Amino acid sequence: MTERILGILQEAFTRILAASIQVTLPLTIIGFTLAMVIAMIMALVQYAKVPVLTQIARLYIWIFRGTPLLVQLFLAYFGLPKLGIVMDAFPCAVMVFALNEGAYCSETMRSALESVSEGQIEAGYCAGMNYLQIMWHVVLPQAFRTAFPPLSNSLISMLKDTSLAATITVADMFMAAQRVVGRTYEPLWVYIEVALVYLFFSTLLTILQRAGEKRLGFFTSKEVNTKKEVRA
Amino acid sequence: MSFFEVKDVKKTFGTNDVLLGIDLSVDKGDVIAVLGPSGSGKTTFLRCINFLEKATGGTMTFDGETFDLAHIKKKEIAKIRKKTGFVFQSYNLFLNKTALQNVMLGLTSGRKMKKEEAKKIAEEMLEKVGLKERMNYYPGQLSGGQQQRVAIARALATSPEIIYFDEPTSALDPELIGEVLSVMKQLASEGMTMLVVTHEINFARNVANKIVFMDGGHVLEAGPSKEFFENPKNARTKEFLNNITTQHET
Ligand SMILES: Nc1ncnc2c1ncn2[C@@H]1O[C@H](COP(=O)(O)OP(=O)(O)O)[C@@H](O)[C@H]1O
Ligand SMILES: [Mg+2]
């Protein structure tokens, strides 16, 4: 590796890192948080079988899971202005990622809610609890435990998928790399470099996921934790 | 005078008439064993009288108030449920809660009792079923027999006037049945009112004071336990008892 390439990589690293802090991470965090809110609402509406809203949720999920993310991005950024709806690239990307991810995650959450056995809900009623009390103390904690690993996987996927936002002019990590490549004609090394930065962030998230699963896994483990405080 | 009475309880699933009019009256301190072949509607009957299933018809009198089972209001259901306990065949413990929390939840959440007070009661109940040392274990860390005893403690904690049991030992390995039956026997001796669907013929014979024999959605025979076993009147009852004795001999 020549000194020239090392110089390019060093400069590119600063730009990639800046783009990650200014764009990729905010896009991921805001987009995913909104996706969780959307997913939670869509999942609960279906779980509680609320009429009309359930059908709306199904329609939304059907559309956003059935069409490519890239097409959704293009449609929102280049297509909607034809209807007079103009958005900046970043908020547009946040919206598309939130809606797309929300559709997938709502299915994860719905199946997690449904995986809590009917018998426990009946036992809750028999113990004198009402629907909301049962949801809060029994169903939601267990569903959260079940949904946590797949939702973490979704978050990691989304972090990587944000690179698609570069196609609608969002100046993310990948666009920062592309620009350096455009100037220097060093696609091999610079793209390896940006790949490694993505790898770093997804590894970090994987480690967090492991730690989270361990914390949440207490009630499914066979091991007895005698130190655990009692919180009823 | 019976404090609890149901009359003409009917249940239809689609076109399947499962309960064709069940009558039952219960006095304080009664231990009633409900016997009958599988598919005869025993579970459905228990579920209907605790409103886990909506009965198609029938009435219930509980502590002097009479309710129409097919048109009972949510509020009335909640009120009656606070006076009853239910023990399921499959325990149905809350998997995210320890044994102690399982027993406390009906008090703290269902009845807004203070935590310290609920904890005291829960510990007492777990002691009664012999599981105080296991109070911080999760259901997944307990054997089936232990889980069912926690479930009994959970039902007891809210001081119900009657506890319904739906085949409480049927899901257990044979060596674990005894510990659950002995807890139930102890409750019976303390005067707890219990309505027990069971296949444990010895429990029915030795612990129950009344027997209800169901088949095909009807009560075919009902009466004092001694009379039922020594002098069954109905032909189906005789056949059922014969089958059980031959099974036990082989
Ligand atoms: N939720 C249900 N939907 C339709 N049919 C049911 C349902 N629950 C029970 N049944 C039917 O009711 C009949 C009695 O069942 P059950 O009460 O479980 O009998 P038992 O407890 O005496 O074995 C069976 O024929 C069963 O198929
Ligand atoms: Mg049954």
Side-chain angles (χ1 to χ4, degrees):
Chain A
M1 218 192 291
T2 64
E3 216 161 287
R4 176 182 159 268
I5 291 175
L6 275 178
I8 291 170
L9 288 182
Q10 205 168 23
E11 189 226 326
F13 186 70
T14 325
R15 288 175 190 279
I16 289 170
L17 209 62
S20 78
I21 290 162
Q22 286 160 5
V23 180
T24 297
L25 293 180
L27 178 57
T28 307
I29 293 165
I30 301 169
F32 196 75
T33 307
L34 290 175
M36 287 298 99
V37 174
I38 294 170
M40 193 73 189
I41 294 167
M42 296 296 153
L44 283 174
V45 155
Q46 292 179 78
Y47 182 73
K49 301 196 174 66
V50 184
V52 187
L53 292 183
T54 298
Q55 280 73 40
I56 293 172
R58 295 309 310 165
L59 180 72
Y60 151 73
I61 291 163
W62 175 61
I63 291 170
F64 277 87
R65 292 208 318 168
T67 55
L69 177 56
L70 194 55
V71 173
Q72 292 167 16
L73 281 167
F74 273 52
L75 193 58
Y77 188 67
F78 301 113
L80 287 186
K82 298 279 177 215
L83 297 175
I85 305 168
V86 185
M87 275 180 285
D88 283 341
F90 184 80
C92 181
V94 167
M95 184 195 76
V96 171
F97 278 103
L99 286 170
N100 183 276
E101 202 61 36
Y104 279 94
C105 294
S106 74
E107 290 293 90
T108 306
M109 289 188 192
R110 185 177 59 87
S111 66
L113 287 168
E114 282 166 0
S115 76
V116 179
S117 66
E118 185 66 27
Q120 290 182 65
I121 298 168
E122 292 183 346
Y125 283 125
C126 290
M129 295 159 79
N130 63 31
Y131 183 73
L132 288 180
Q133 291 167 336
I134 296 168
M135 281 303 281
W136 182 251
H137 290 287
V138 178
V139 178
L140 288 176
Q142 289 181 54
F144 182 68
R145 164 75 189 75
T146 310
F148 186 80
L151 290 181
S152 306
N153 288 338
S154 296
L155 172 61
I156 293 168
S157 298
M158 185 170 153
L159 171 82
K160 295 177 291 171
D161 288 346
T162 55
S163 59
L164 289 173
T167 60
I168 61 163
T169 77
V170 173
D172 73 331
M173 275 162 62
F174 184 53
M175 175 164 303
Q178 279 179 308
R179 282 181 180 151
V180 175
V181 171
R183 262 191 296 113
T184 60
Y185 307 105
E186 281 299 340
L188 178 62
W189 294 109
V190 176
Y191 287 143
I192 285 179
E193 184 174 32
V194 76
L196 287 175
V197 178
Y198 278 111
L199 187 61
F200 168 78
F201 283 121
S202 37
T203 307
L204 201 67
L205 287 177
T206 310
I207 292 167
L208 285 176
Q209 174 183 357
R210 292 270 155 72
E213 279 175 31
K214 217 171 161 188
R215 265 188 78 94
L216 284 171
F218 57 87
F219 65 78
T220 51
S221 89
K222 288 277 164 207
E223 221 170 287
V224 177
N225 184 354
T226 43
K227 277 180 295 189
K228 217 193 93 47
E229 267 290 301
V230 171
R231 299 172 278 106
Chain B
M1 177 57 197
S2 304
F3 81 105
F4 177 96
E5 197 168 302
V6 288
K7 279 206 183 114
D8 204 23
V9 178
K10 290 189 174 130
K11 177 66 187 176
T12 304
F13 287 112
T15 56
N16 185 7
D17 296 323
V18 176
L19 301 178
L20 298 159
I22 307 285
D23 296 342
L24 176 76
S25 60
V26 185
D27 294 313
K28 279 267 151 70
D30 268 351
V31 176
I32 303 179
V34 181
L35 306 178
S38 97
S40 58
K42 305 179 299 295
T43 296
T44 305
F45 175 60
L46 282 192
R47 290 174 62 82
C48 283
I49 61 177
N50 210 20
F51 314 103
L52 294 173
E53 214 73 72
K54 198 174 183 71
T56 321
T59 60
M60 170 186 288
T61 306
F62 200 134
D63 285 339
E65 273 186 278
T66 301
F67 307 94
D68 174 358
L69 291 177
H71 302 102
I72 190 162
K73 296 190 191 75
K74 267 194 168 168
K75 256 201 174 139
E76 297 169 327
I77 291 177
K79 192 172 144 196
I80 295 172
R81 274 203 183 123
K82 291 204 172 167
K83 300 196 237 178
T84 64
F86 202 104
V87 175
F88 297 84
Q89 182 173 347
S90 49
Y91 341 126
N92 290 344
L93 293 182
F94 309 127
L95 298 179
N96 59 323
K97 303 281 176 196
T98 63
L100 185 69
Q101 292 168 332
N102 262 278
V103 182
M104 285 172 69
L105 205 54
L107 298 170
T108 52
S109 170
R111 286 163 183 77
K112 301 281 163 261
M113 186 184 282
K114 285 224 175 62
K115 240 175 214 174
E116 308 79 67
E117 200 183 335
K119 189 168 180 231
K120 225 181 97 209
I121 294 173
E123 284 180 5
E124 218 172 283
M125 295 305 143
L126 285 170
E127 175 126 58
K128 204 191 230 337
V129 299
L131 284 172
K132 191 153 179 232
E133 336 70 72
R134 297 280 156 108
M135 67 182 196
N136 290 324
Y137 284 46
Y138 287 94
Q141 299 161 335
L142 297 170
S143 73
Q146 290 169 338
Q147 289 189 57
Q148 193 59 297
R149 279 147 67 200
V150 173
I152 293 174
R154 177 173 69 181
L156 277 174
T158 54
S159 343
E161 292 180 30
I162 180 169
I163 303 183
Y164 311 117
F165 293 80
D166 187 15
E167 299 198 32
T169 57
S170 294
L172 296 174
D173 291 336
E175 72 271 20
L176 302 177
I177 291 176
E179 63 189 67
V180 172
L181 287 180
S182 78
V183 165
M184 291 171 63
K185 201 169 163 177
Q186 185 202 331
L187 293 184
S189 72
E190 290 170 6
M192 186 73 223
T193 310
M194 298 156 61
L195 182 60
V196 186
V197 172
T198 185
H199 290 296
E200 292 296 325
I201 222 66
N202 286 325
F203 179 86
R205 198 194 298 268
N206 302 327
V207 182
N209 62 326
K210 291 182 192 162
I211 307 290
V212 170
F213 179 74
M214 279 179 68
D215 195 9
H218 290 286
V219 173
L220 292 191
E221 192 159 346
S225 164
K226 201 164 146 65
E227 206 173 302
F228 178 86
F229 284 104
E230 284 173 8
N231 191 14
K233 295 188 181 61
N234 189 287
R236 281 287 295 125
T237 316
K238 286 179 195 165
E239 191 190 328
F240 179 79
L241 288 173
N242 266 338
N243 281 343
I244 285 168
T245 14
T246 29
Q247 262 171 30
H248 274 241
E249 277 158 15
T250 49

